mmCIF file of all heavy atoms in Angstrom:
data_model
loop_
_atom_site.group_PDB
_atom_site.id
_atom_site.type_symbol
_atom_site.label_atom_id
_atom_site.label_comp_id
_atom_site.label_asym_id
_atom_site.label_seq_id
_atom_site.Cartn_x
_atom_site.Cartn_y
_atom_site.Cartn_z
ATOM 1 N N GLY A 1 0.798 -1.221 0.000
ATOM 2 C CA GLY A 1 0.000 0.000 0.000
ATOM 3 C C GLY A 1 0.834 1.276 0.000
ATOM 4 O O GLY A 1 0.283 2.370 0.147
ATOM 5 N N ILE A 2 2.145 1.155 -0.172
ATOM 6 C CA ILE A 2 2.988 2.347 -0.234
ATOM 7 C C ILE A 2 2.807 2.995 -1.609
ATOM 8 O O ILE A 2 2.994 2.351 -2.628
ATOM 9 C CB ILE A 2 4.462 1.996 0.033
ATOM 10 C CG1 ILE A 2 4.612 1.489 1.470
ATOM 11 C CG2 ILE A 2 5.355 3.214 -0.216
ATOM 12 C CD1 ILE A 2 5.993 0.983 1.811
ATOM 13 N N VAL A 3 2.399 4.262 -1.598
ATOM 14 C CA VAL A 3 2.166 4.972 -2.859
ATOM 15 C C VAL A 3 3.316 5.914 -3.197
ATOM 16 O O VAL A 3 3.480 6.313 -4.349
ATOM 17 C CB VAL A 3 0.819 5.737 -2.845
ATOM 18 C CG1 VAL A 3 -0.340 4.756 -2.790
ATOM 19 C CG2 VAL A 3 0.746 6.715 -1.689
ATOM 20 N N SER A 4 4.113 6.258 -2.206
ATOM 21 C CA SER A 4 5.278 7.109 -2.431
ATOM 22 C C SER A 4 6.296 6.847 -1.331
ATOM 23 O O SER A 4 5.930 6.746 -0.156
ATOM 24 C CB SER A 4 4.865 8.585 -2.419
ATOM 25 O OG SER A 4 5.996 9.421 -2.539
ATOM 26 N N LEU A 5 7.554 6.730 -1.722
ATOM 27 C CA LEU A 5 8.643 6.583 -0.759
ATOM 28 C C LEU A 5 9.824 7.362 -1.315
ATOM 29 O O LEU A 5 10.261 7.110 -2.434
ATOM 30 C CB LEU A 5 9.020 5.115 -0.556
ATOM 31 C CG LEU A 5 10.010 4.862 0.579
ATOM 32 C CD1 LEU A 5 9.737 3.511 1.211
ATOM 33 C CD2 LEU A 5 11.445 4.952 0.124
ATOM 34 N N ARG A 6 10.272 8.349 -0.557
ATOM 35 C CA ARG A 6 11.386 9.200 -0.982
ATOM 36 C C ARG A 6 12.415 9.247 0.134
ATOM 37 O O ARG A 6 12.050 9.333 1.313
ATOM 38 C CB ARG A 6 10.879 10.606 -1.294
ATOM 39 C CG ARG A 6 9.870 10.592 -2.433
ATOM 40 C CD ARG A 6 9.098 11.879 -2.543
ATOM 41 N NE ARG A 6 9.978 12.981 -2.892
ATOM 42 C CZ ARG A 6 9.626 14.261 -2.756
ATOM 43 N NH1 ARG A 6 8.448 14.584 -2.294
ATOM 44 N NH2 ARG A 6 10.461 15.211 -3.097
ATOM 45 N N ILE A 7 13.700 9.201 -0.239
ATOM 46 C CA ILE A 7 14.786 9.298 0.736
ATOM 47 C C ILE A 7 15.667 10.478 0.341
ATOM 48 O O ILE A 7 16.039 10.627 -0.826
ATOM 49 C CB ILE A 7 15.623 7.998 0.780
ATOM 50 C CG1 ILE A 7 14.748 6.812 1.199
ATOM 51 C CG2 ILE A 7 16.809 8.159 1.750
ATOM 52 C CD1 ILE A 7 15.455 5.464 1.144
ATOM 53 N N PHE A 8 15.987 11.306 1.328
ATOM 54 C CA PHE A 8 16.851 12.459 1.149
ATOM 55 C C PHE A 8 18.062 12.296 2.064
ATOM 56 O O PHE A 8 17.972 11.645 3.094
ATOM 57 C CB PHE A 8 16.121 13.761 1.527
ATOM 58 C CG PHE A 8 14.891 14.013 0.711
ATOM 59 C CD1 PHE A 8 13.669 13.466 1.078
ATOM 60 C CD2 PHE A 8 14.955 14.808 -0.427
ATOM 61 C CE1 PHE A 8 12.530 13.699 0.329
ATOM 62 C CE2 PHE A 8 13.823 15.050 -1.178
ATOM 63 C CZ PHE A 8 12.607 14.497 -0.804
ATOM 64 N N ARG A 9 19.170 12.920 1.686
ATOM 65 C CA ARG A 9 20.369 12.853 2.518
ATOM 66 C C ARG A 9 20.937 14.241 2.710
ATOM 67 O O ARG A 9 21.019 15.033 1.777
ATOM 68 C CB ARG A 9 21.432 11.965 1.865
ATOM 69 C CG ARG A 9 22.695 11.817 2.715
ATOM 70 C CD ARG A 9 23.695 10.857 2.094
ATOM 71 N NE ARG A 9 24.286 11.357 0.874
ATOM 72 C CZ ARG A 9 25.291 12.238 0.815
ATOM 73 N NH1 ARG A 9 25.814 12.727 1.916
ATOM 74 N NH2 ARG A 9 25.773 12.631 -0.361
ATOM 75 N N GLU A 10 21.329 14.538 3.933
ATOM 76 C CA GLU A 10 22.074 15.751 4.278
ATOM 77 C C GLU A 10 23.244 15.292 5.129
ATOM 78 O O GLU A 10 23.051 14.854 6.267
ATOM 79 C CB GLU A 10 21.197 16.745 5.047
ATOM 80 C CG GLU A 10 21.946 17.921 5.634
ATOM 81 C CD GLU A 10 22.728 18.721 4.607
ATOM 82 O OE1 GLU A 10 22.268 18.881 3.451
ATOM 83 O OE2 GLU A 10 23.834 19.188 4.953
ATOM 84 N N GLY A 11 24.426 15.308 4.527
ATOM 85 C CA GLY A 11 25.596 14.781 5.233
ATOM 86 C C GLY A 11 25.409 13.295 5.465
ATOM 87 O O GLY A 11 25.184 12.528 4.524
ATOM 88 N N LEU A 12 25.458 12.887 6.706
ATOM 89 C CA LEU A 12 25.295 11.468 7.064
ATOM 90 C C LEU A 12 23.869 11.144 7.509
ATOM 91 O O LEU A 12 23.573 10.004 7.848
ATOM 92 C CB LEU A 12 26.275 11.091 8.186
ATOM 93 C CG LEU A 12 27.753 11.256 7.837
ATOM 94 C CD1 LEU A 12 28.619 10.943 9.055
ATOM 95 C CD2 LEU A 12 28.136 10.377 6.656
ATOM 96 N N THR A 13 22.995 12.143 7.500
ATOM 97 C CA THR A 13 21.622 11.950 7.968
ATOM 98 C C THR A 13 20.694 11.695 6.785
ATOM 99 O O THR A 13 20.721 12.413 5.793
ATOM 100 C CB THR A 13 21.140 13.189 8.747
ATOM 101 O OG1 THR A 13 22.059 13.452 9.810
ATOM 102 C CG2 THR A 13 19.753 12.973 9.323
ATOM 103 N N LEU A 14 19.879 10.651 6.920
ATOM 104 C CA LEU A 14 18.884 10.293 5.911
ATOM 105 C C LEU A 14 17.496 10.634 6.429
ATOM 106 O O LEU A 14 17.212 10.469 7.623
ATOM 107 C CB LEU A 14 18.929 8.791 5.617
ATOM 108 C CG LEU A 14 20.219 8.245 5.048
ATOM 109 C CD1 LEU A 14 20.180 6.717 5.040
ATOM 110 C CD2 LEU A 14 20.455 8.775 3.649
ATOM 111 N N PHE A 15 16.639 11.087 5.526
ATOM 112 C CA PHE A 15 15.242 11.372 5.840
ATOM 113 C C PHE A 15 14.395 10.592 4.843
ATOM 114 O O PHE A 15 14.600 10.708 3.633
ATOM 115 C CB PHE A 15 14.944 12.869 5.692
ATOM 116 C CG PHE A 15 15.815 13.738 6.551
ATOM 117 C CD1 PHE A 15 17.030 14.214 6.076
ATOM 118 C CD2 PHE A 15 15.429 14.059 7.836
ATOM 119 C CE1 PHE A 15 17.841 15.004 6.859
ATOM 120 C CE2 PHE A 15 16.233 14.858 8.639
ATOM 121 C CZ PHE A 15 17.444 15.327 8.146
ATOM 122 N N MET A 16 13.474 9.798 5.337
ATOM 123 C CA MET A 16 12.603 9.008 4.462
ATOM 124 C C MET A 16 11.160 9.457 4.681
ATOM 125 O O MET A 16 10.683 9.513 5.811
ATOM 126 C CB MET A 16 12.735 7.510 4.766
ATOM 127 C CG MET A 16 11.845 6.647 3.904
ATOM 128 S SD MET A 16 12.215 4.867 3.970
ATOM 129 C CE MET A 16 12.094 4.496 5.706
ATOM 130 N N ILE A 17 10.498 9.775 3.575
ATOM 131 C CA ILE A 17 9.084 10.157 3.605
ATOM 132 C C ILE A 17 8.310 9.041 2.928
ATOM 133 O O ILE A 17 8.548 8.729 1.758
ATOM 134 C CB ILE A 17 8.860 11.491 2.868
ATOM 135 C CG1 ILE A 17 9.714 12.590 3.500
ATOM 136 C CG2 ILE A 17 7.370 11.854 2.878
ATOM 137 C CD1 ILE A 17 9.746 13.872 2.707
ATOM 138 N N VAL A 18 7.411 8.432 3.680
ATOM 139 C CA VAL A 18 6.620 7.315 3.180
ATOM 140 C C VAL A 18 5.149 7.706 3.234
ATOM 141 O O VAL A 18 4.650 8.124 4.285
ATOM 142 C CB VAL A 18 6.829 6.033 4.030
ATOM 143 C CG1 VAL A 18 6.021 4.877 3.474
ATOM 144 C CG2 VAL A 18 8.298 5.681 4.136
ATOM 145 N N GLU A 19 4.482 7.572 2.097
ATOM 146 C CA GLU A 19 3.035 7.773 2.054
ATOM 147 C C GLU A 19 2.407 6.441 1.694
ATOM 148 O O GLU A 19 2.808 5.803 0.721
ATOM 149 C CB GLU A 19 2.664 8.836 1.026
ATOM 150 C CG GLU A 19 3.156 10.208 1.405
ATOM 151 C CD GLU A 19 2.743 11.259 0.401
ATOM 152 O OE1 GLU A 19 1.640 11.147 -0.176
ATOM 153 O OE2 GLU A 19 3.529 12.190 0.192
ATOM 154 N N SER A 20 1.452 6.025 2.504
ATOM 155 C CA SER A 20 0.801 4.744 2.245
ATOM 156 C C SER A 20 -0.714 4.896 2.341
ATOM 157 O O SER A 20 -1.229 5.843 2.930
ATOM 158 C CB SER A 20 1.292 3.682 3.234
ATOM 159 O OG SER A 20 1.027 4.083 4.560
ATOM 160 N N ASP A 21 -1.385 3.940 1.740
ATOM 161 C CA ASP A 21 -2.847 3.909 1.730
ATOM 162 C C ASP A 21 -3.260 2.467 1.996
ATOM 163 O O ASP A 21 -3.049 1.594 1.150
ATOM 164 C CB ASP A 21 -3.369 4.388 0.376
ATOM 165 C CG ASP A 21 -4.879 4.490 0.327
ATOM 166 O OD1 ASP A 21 -5.555 3.728 1.046
ATOM 167 O OD2 ASP A 21 -5.382 5.324 -0.442
ATOM 168 N N SER A 22 -3.800 2.224 3.174
ATOM 169 C CA SER A 22 -4.145 0.853 3.568
ATOM 170 C C SER A 22 -5.179 0.214 2.640
ATOM 171 O O SER A 22 -5.212 -1.007 2.493
ATOM 172 C CB SER A 22 -4.643 0.815 5.019
ATOM 173 O OG SER A 22 -5.793 1.640 5.161
ATOM 174 N N SER A 23 -5.987 1.031 1.963
ATOM 175 C CA SER A 23 -6.992 0.463 1.059
ATOM 176 C C SER A 23 -6.353 -0.119 -0.207
ATOM 177 O O SER A 23 -6.991 -0.864 -0.940
ATOM 178 C CB SER A 23 -8.047 1.503 0.687
ATOM 179 O OG SER A 23 -7.498 2.498 -0.155
ATOM 180 N N LEU A 24 -5.085 0.233 -0.467
ATOM 181 C CA LEU A 24 -4.389 -0.274 -1.648
ATOM 182 C C LEU A 24 -3.534 -1.507 -1.348
ATOM 183 O O LEU A 24 -2.996 -2.126 -2.259
ATOM 184 C CB LEU A 24 -3.508 0.819 -2.251
ATOM 185 C CG LEU A 24 -4.240 2.079 -2.713
ATOM 186 C CD1 LEU A 24 -3.240 3.131 -3.176
ATOM 187 C CD2 LEU A 24 -5.241 1.746 -3.808
#
């Protein structure tokens, strides 16, 4: 049900944005 998953990096730090929809 994940509709979008994006990972960003700043130096050694990672940021992950996950959008999901349980109906999918």
Side-chain angles (χ1 to χ4, degrees):
I2 295 174
V3 294
S4 176
L5 188 148
R6 298 166 65 196
I7 299 175
F8 300 86
R9 182 176 68 80
E10 171 56 36
L12 299 176
T13 305
L14 298 170
F15 302 90
M16 179 168 56
I17 302 170
V18 181
E19 293 182 34
S20 59
D21 185 331
S22 59
S23 70
L24 300 175

